Amino acid sequence: MATSKEPPEGAQHYDSAEEVPWVISKYWHQRHNIFSKRIASDIAASAPANKTILVDAFAGAGGNTIAFALSGRWKQIFAFEKDATVLACAKHNAEVYGVAKKIFWVHGDAFAEIPRRLKQVGKSAVVFASPPWGGPTYSDYEVFDLTVMGPYTLPFLCSSFFAVTPDVVLYLPRTSDLRQLAKYAKPGQKLQVTHYCMHGASKALCVYFGSFAAS
C-alpha cells in the first residue's frame, strides 16, 4: 500500500512544467484552479433532499470524488474507475485528504457495474459523470457535437444513466451544443447549465438533469 508521500506504482508524477508533455501542459498550469470543490458544493446544494447516494461514474484520479466526500452531504459515495493504476492514484489521493473510508471504490466499467450494483437504490442516487471528451481536440470546435464525442456519445451516456436515475449531472466541454442537451429535458422543463470559469473565461460546463433546484 502506498503511503501518503508516495504515488502508486505505475503512476506518472511531474515535478516541473518542463517534464510535462506539451499536449497536456495546459492542465499542469491549471492544476491549482480546479473546479471540483465548487461542483461538489453546487450538486450538494441543489440535489433533492431524498438523494443520499452519490455515484461518480468516471472517478479518474479522484478529484471530484474527494470533493464530494469532503462536502459531508452524502451518506454513501460510490466511485467507478476501469483503469487499475488510475484507481490506485484515486485511493492514494483520498488517503491524503482523509476521506478514503467515506468512499466505496469499484474497479470496473461504470456502464456494466452501475446497473448491476446500484439499480435497486437508483431512487436515492445522483449520478455524476465526467466522461472522456475525445482528447484536447474538442477545443477546435466552435460548437461541440456531443453525438460524436468519444468514446461515449451524449445519447449513450443519457440512455445508460437515466436507466438508473433521472438525476444526472454531466461535466462537458464549454462549447457543448446546448440544443442537443435540451432534447433530454422533460416536457416543460428547462435544464440548468452552469459554466465553470477561470479568469473570466468558461472552461467547462455542468448540465443538471432531473429534479435539481436552481442554484
Side-chain angles (χ1 to χ4, degrees):
M1 175 66 68
T3 69
S4 62
K5 296 182 180 180
E6 300 173 348
E9 182 178 354
Q12 181 64 59
H13 176 77
Y14 302 110
D15 291 311
S16 67
E18 290 72 23
E19 299 175 359
V20 182
W22 177 84
V23 71
I24 60 170
S25 60
K26 72 174 183 179
Y27 303 113
W28 165 270
H29 293 294
Q30 295 175 7
R31 68 194 186 282
H32 297 306
N33 296 305
I34 57 175
F35 310 118
S36 301
K37 185 175 181 180
R38 182 181 165 191
I39 292 170
S41 177
D42 287 349
I43 295 176
S46 60
N50 66 329
K51 298 291 182 173
T52 58
I53 298 172
L54 191 288
V55 179
D56 190 343
F58 302 96
N64 288 302
T65 312
I66 291 167
F68 294 136
L70 289 171
S71 76
R73 165 67 171 78
W74 310 98
K75 290 184 179 179
Q76 291 180 294
I77 297 174
F78 295 86
F80 296 80
E81 175 53 50
K82 65 181 182 180
D83 185 304
T85 300
V86 175
L87 181 61
C89 289
K91 291 180 177 180
H92 164 80
N93 293 335
E95 290 280 358
V96 172
Y97 281 89
V99 295
K101 293 182 179 179
K102 296 183 178 182
I103 303 164
F104 185 81
W105 302 97
V106 181
H107 177 215
D109 181 86
F111 302 104
E113 296 295 335
I114 290 176
R116 185 172 70 86
R117 294 173 179 265
L118 301 177
K119 193 167 186 177
Q120 299 304 315
V121 296
K123 64 185 179 192
S124 300
V126 168
V127 171
F128 172 80
S130 177
W133 297 345
T137 56
Y138 71 86
S139 60
D140 296 338
Y141 297 86
E142 184 175 347
V143 178
F144 187 62
D145 185 353
L146 295 167
T147 66
V148 298
M149 182 172 63
Y152 311 115
T153 66
L154 177 65
F156 178 76
L157 292 168
C158 289
S159 63
S160 299
F161 297 138
F162 290 165
V164 178
T165 176
D167 296 302
V168 175
V169 181
L170 298 182
Y171 183 78
L172 299 169
R174 61 182 175 80
T175 56
S176 296
D177 191 331
L178 298 183
R179 294 168 299 180
Q180 294 175 338
L181 293 171
K183 292 179 181 179
Y184 293 91
K186 296 177 181 178
Q189 178 192 44
K190 293 183 178 180
L191 294 179
Q192 176 183 338
V193 175
T194 302
H195 280 265
Y196 293 90
C197 302
M198 184 188 306
H199 307 304
S202 175
K203 295 298 180 180
L205 63 80
C206 277
V207 56
Y208 294 73
F209 298 98
S211 303
F212 289 90
S215 59

